[in-house]
Amino acid sequence: MKKSLSINSRLILSTILLLLIATPAYAHHAMGGETPNSFLAGLISGLAHPIIGLDHLAFVIGVGFLASFFSWGMTIPLSFVLTSILGTVVHLMNIDLPLPELIISLSVFVTGILLTRDRILPQFMVISLAVVAGIFHGYAYGESIIGAQTTPLISYLAGFAITQSFISFTAYQLGKYWQKNSSSALNLKFVGYLICGMGIIFTAGFFGV
């Protein structure tokens, strides 16, 4: 049974790594840049956006792993998911947020750093990070849905909420399993360093480095 779980862990980790290095991740539009005009188009675009946006994907995975350190940890990714919806609404209301791409890149970096630490911050501080990140990630999601009607807009919001919840919950469960198995404990740090590196790349890209 232990061997089977170990194999499953490796498979999930391999999947995560493949998602993180996938080239299409830099394309932030699932519908080829077109605004969704139906319930199905909105849903597909919403489901895809957190996966094809590499910065979003890295953060969602990281926040799920961070949540695994706390007994009520799923409140952390849940806070992120809910505030990402709010962030999209903020964008649709034509409210400008300062330097969203930089803040998103830094949120990935900080999440990676937190995973590499021996001591995790108090839960309320991690929730605060998730809330701020959620608003800015959601703000970026809003770019793909500007001008859409109510029906595709609602399905778009539902789509990216579902994808983010699923990915973060999977990372949360895997993180819990790793923490119970000393032989797998270093996997969390490894993922942390990987996400941290992604954050550095995104931040450098923002400055044109």
Side-chain angles (χ1 to χ4, degrees), residues 52-107:
I52 62 175
L54 185 54
D55 43 5
H56 304 308
L57 177 61
F59 184 85
V60 174
I61 291 172
V63 84
F65 279 120
L66 268 181
S68 69
F69 288 95
F70 303 95
S71 53
W72 289 89
M74 277 307 293
T75 56
I76 297 169
L78 179 60
S79 299
F80 171 75
V81 171
L82 292 176
T83 51
S84 66
I85 294 173
L86 174 61
T88 299
V89 173
V90 166
H91 197 145
L92 295 177
M93 292 174 66
N94 293 319
I95 299 173
D96 292 328
L97 294 183
L99 303 173
E101 292 301 326
L102 177 60
I103 302 299
I104 290 169
S105 299
L106 290 175
S107 73

Side-chain angles (χ1 to χ4, degrees), residues 38-187:
S38 67
F39 176 87
L40 183 59
L43 182 63
I44 292 173
S45 183
L47 289 170
H49 203 128
I51 298 174
I52 62 175
L54 185 54
D55 43 5
H56 304 308
L57 177 61
F59 184 85
V60 174
I61 291 172
V63 84
F65 279 120
L66 268 181
S68 69
F69 288 95
F70 303 95
S71 53
W72 289 89
M74 277 307 293
T75 56
I76 297 169
L78 179 60
S79 299
F80 171 75
V81 171
L82 292 176
T83 51
S84 66
I85 294 173
L86 174 61
T88 299
V89 173
V90 166
H91 197 145
L92 295 177
M93 292 174 66
N94 293 319
I95 299 173
D96 292 328
L97 294 183
L99 303 173
E101 292 301 326
L102 177 60
I103 302 299
I104 290 169
S105 299
L106 290 175
S107 73
V108 175
F109 173 73
V110 171
T111 302
I113 286 289
L114 291 179
L115 282 171
T116 65
R117 288 166 51 95
D118 291 323
R119 295 182 63 186
I120 296 296
L121 295 175
Q123 186 167 358
F124 78 91
M125 293 184 70
V126 181
I127 289 177
S128 299
L129 166 66
V131 166
V132 173
I135 292 172
F136 280 87
H137 282 259
Y139 184 84
Y141 290 157
E143 188 66 30
S144 298
I145 201 68
I146 291 176
Q149 298 298 315
T150 303
T151 297
L153 171 59
I154 291 174
S155 62
Y156 178 77
L157 295 174
F160 75 65
I162 290 169
T163 296
Q164 291 180 138
S165 299
F166 175 78
I167 293 173
S168 60
F169 181 72
T170 302
Y172 170 79
Q173 291 295 337
L174 183 55
K176 285 290 188 187
Y177 169 71
W178 281 346
Q179 289 178 59
K180 291 176 183 175
N181 295 269
S182 54
S183 61
S184 303
L186 286 176
N187 288 342

